Amino acid sequence: MPDRIRGVLYDIDGVLVTSWQEIEGAAAAVRRIRESGLRRAFLTNTTSRTCGEIAKRLCDTGIEVEPAEIVTAARLTAEFVRDRHPGAAVWVLNHGDITADLTGLTLDDEHPDVVVIGGAGPEFDHAALSRVAELMLDGVPVVAMHSGLTWATADGLRVDAGVYLPGLEAAGNARIEVVGKPAAPGFRTAAALMRLDPAEVVMVGDDLYSDVLAAQDAGLTGVLVRTGKFRPGVLASADRAPDHVIDSVAALPELLARQAGSGEPAVTDESE
C-alpha cells in the first residue's frame, strides 16, 4: 500500500454493520484509525435512511461518526440533479423516506421532468416499473442513485436497483445515468469531501465489483473484506484482483500500519 495514504473511505453495510448490528471489531478499528490521524468518510448506497439517521444508527452500535461524514447515494444524486436539471420536478422511486437528503429538489410524483431511481423494495412493483419505462419512451430522463445488485441482511442477500436498470434501459430505449457506486463520481466526490486526491484514499468494501474494483478504477486503493455480501466464488472467478483482501475491517488498522511505506506487493491476501 502506498505510503501516501491519508484517508479511509468506508462502505457501511457488510463492512461495519449487518442489519445495523456491529460486525465484530468494527468500532474499535474505526476508532484506532481515526486516532492515527487519517481522514475518513462513509460512502454508502443505502437509500432507505438519511445521513442523520445513518450516523445515529452507527453511533448506537458504538461507531462514532458525524452526519457530515456520511455520503449517501441520495446526497450525491441530489447534487447531480440540481446541477444537470435545475428546477426540474422529480419523481423519486425509492424504498424509504430520504426527503431530508434531497435538499433543493422539487418533488412531484404526478408530473415529473426527471425520474430518480433509488433503492429497491416493495415500491418496485409492476405498475411502477412499467411507468418508468413509459416515461423513458416519452423522453423523460432517468437517474439512478446507484447500480448495486444486492445488499446483505441478517436473513441473506436482497436484490437491489441494479437488477432492474438494464431491463428498463431496454424497454425505455434510453440510457439511465448512475450517480452512486460503482460510478466513479461517487468515489471522487467522497475523496474531495475529505480534501484528498483519490490516490490518497483507501476504499474498504464487501462488494468486489461495486466497492473495490470500481474504486480502483477511480484511482483509490481497494481493500476487500470477507464479510457482508462477500462470496469466495466471486473473488475466485474474477479476472481482476483487489489491491488487498482481509478477513474483516478489524484487520484494517494492522494492514495500514504494516504496509505504509513497506514496499510490499500491491496485492495482499491476509488469509494466507
Side-chain angles (χ1 to χ4, degrees), residues 174-200:
R175 178 173 171 267
I176 296 174
E177 188 130 30
V178 178
V179 178
K181 296 184 298 182
F187 297 105
R188 292 172 182 153
T189 298
L193 289 172
M194 289 188 278
R195 304 183 304 282
L196 297 175
D197 291 328
E200 298 176 303

Side-chain angles (χ1 to χ4, degrees), residues 101-113:
D101 283 349
L102 301 177
T103 306
L105 299 188
T106 301
L107 304 182
D108 185 346
D109 295 357
E110 298 299 322
H111 305 288
D113 301 312

Side-chain angles (χ1 to χ4, degrees), residues 259-271:
Q259 300 222 335
S262 69
E264 293 186 22
V267 178
T268 62
D269 188 329
E270 296 304 299
S271 68

Side-chain angles (χ1 to χ4, degrees), residues 98-206:
I98 52 171
T99 305
D101 283 349
L102 301 177
T103 306
L105 299 188
T106 301
L107 304 182
D108 185 346
D109 295 357
E110 298 299 322
H111 305 288
D113 301 312
V114 177
V115 176
V116 169
I117 296 178
E123 296 82 0
F124 281 53
D125 59 18
H126 184 261
L129 294 171
S130 297
R131 185 183 179 211
V132 173
E134 187 170 25
L135 287 168
M136 292 174 72
L137 289 170
D138 289 339
V140 175
V142 177
V143 177
M145 293 186 187
H146 64 79
S147 60
L149 297 174
T150 62
W151 80 88
T153 76
D155 298 320
L157 293 182
R158 299 290 183 267
V159 298
D160 212 339
V163 169
Y164 299 95
L165 300 185
L168 287 171
E169 288 183 325
N173 194 34
R175 178 173 171 267
I176 296 174
E177 188 130 30
V178 178
V179 178
K181 296 184 298 182
F187 297 105
R188 292 172 182 153
T189 298
L193 289 172
M194 289 188 278
R195 304 183 304 282
L196 297 175
D197 291 328
E200 298 176 303
V201 179
V202 166
M203 173 68 205
V204 187
D206 64 328

Side-chain angles (χ1 to χ4, degrees), residues 25-242:
V30 170
R31 183 173 59 253
R32 284 182 59 191
I33 292 168
R34 180 180 59 185
E35 291 171 350
S36 75
L38 293 179
R39 300 176 193 177
R40 66 184 190 171
F42 301 81
L43 179 63
T44 176
N45 277 349
T46 299
T47 53
S48 59
R49 298 180 187 274
T50 66
C51 295
E53 290 170 338
I54 292 169
K56 183 179 185 305
R57 294 298 294 266
L58 288 174
C59 288
D60 288 345
T61 69
I63 302 170
E64 296 294 330
V65 303
E66 297 293 333
E69 297 177 300
I70 307 294
V71 184
T72 65
R75 180 179 171 188
L76 293 172
T77 301
E79 293 179 5
F80 177 88
V81 173
R82 287 194 303 268
D83 179 60
R84 296 288 186 89
H85 306 281
V90 181
W91 171 33
V92 179
L93 178 60
N94 179 67
H95 179 60
D97 183 3
I98 52 171
T99 305
D101 283 349
L102 301 177
T103 306
L105 299 188
T106 301
L107 304 182
D108 185 346
D109 295 357
E110 298 299 322
H111 305 288
D113 301 312
V114 177
V115 176
V116 169
I117 296 178
E123 296 82 0
F124 281 53
D125 59 18
H126 184 261
L129 294 171
S130 297
R131 185 183 179 211
V132 173
E134 187 170 25
L135 287 168
M136 292 174 72
L137 289 170
D138 289 339
V140 175
V142 177
V143 177
M145 293 186 187
H146 64 79
S147 60
L149 297 174
T150 62
W151 80 88
T153 76
D155 298 320
L157 293 182
R158 299 290 183 267
V159 298
D160 212 339
V163 169
Y164 299 95
L165 300 185
L168 287 171
E169 288 183 325
N173 194 34
R175 178 173 171 267
I176 296 174
E177 188 130 30
V178 178
V179 178
K181 296 184 298 182
F187 297 105
R188 292 172 182 153
T189 298
L193 289 172
M194 289 188 278
R195 304 183 304 282
L196 297 175
D197 291 328
E200 298 176 303
V201 179
V202 166
M203 173 68 205
V204 187
D206 64 328
D207 187 312
L208 174 63
Y209 291 99
S210 291
D211 291 337
V212 179
L213 295 182
Q216 291 175 196
D217 288 341
L220 291 74
T221 296
V223 177
L224 178 67
V225 294
R226 298 178 181 271
T227 54
K229 69 176 70 171
F230 170 83
R231 295 294 183 272
V234 174
L235 179 59
S237 64
D239 58 4
R240 297 173 54 203

